[in-house]
Amino acid sequence: MGRERVTGLLTVREVLDELGGISRRTFYRWRELGTAPACIRLPNGELRVRRSALSAWLDERAEGTA
């Protein structure tokens, strides 16, 4: 089991894959626009996304829900 799985943190690559293979450029554009899921910047500059934050972000965008 990888470290990301243990901590509940996803790499940008894992987020892109979970979103159906969107491009890295699209993800970073969403970040510029303030519409991407909340990210955590690690001391080494890498980004991580909490699995719970990604799930909540997707729930907010679900169509047909009140």
Side-chain angles (χ1 to χ4, degrees), residues 2 4 12-13 15-16 19 21 25-28 34 37-38 41 43 48 54 61:
E4 289 82 10
V12 171
R13 172 84 286 170
V15 172
L16 301 179
L19 294 176
R25 180 174 170 83
T26 295
F27 179 80
Y28 281 99
R41 184 170 300 279
R48 294 292 185 271
L54 180 60
R61 281 150 185 79

Side-chain angles (χ1 to χ4, degrees), residues 9-63:
L9 297 178
L10 302 169
T11 63
V12 171
R13 172 84 286 170
E14 290 171 323
V15 172
L16 301 179
D17 291 344
E18 290 211 15
L19 294 176
I22 66 163
S23 72
R24 184 173 292 269
R25 180 174 170 83
T26 295
F27 179 80
Y28 281 99
R29 179 67 177 148
W30 289 348
R31 281 188 41 85
E32 289 175 11
L33 296 172
T35 58
C39 295
I40 299 167
R41 184 170 300 279
L42 300 177
N44 64 1
E46 292 182 9
L47 294 177
R48 294 292 185 271
V49 177
R50 284 188 177 98
R51 182 169 290 286
S52 59
L54 180 60
S55 294
W57 182 81
L58 289 169
D59 289 344
E60 291 170 5
R61 281 150 185 79
E63 293 184 5

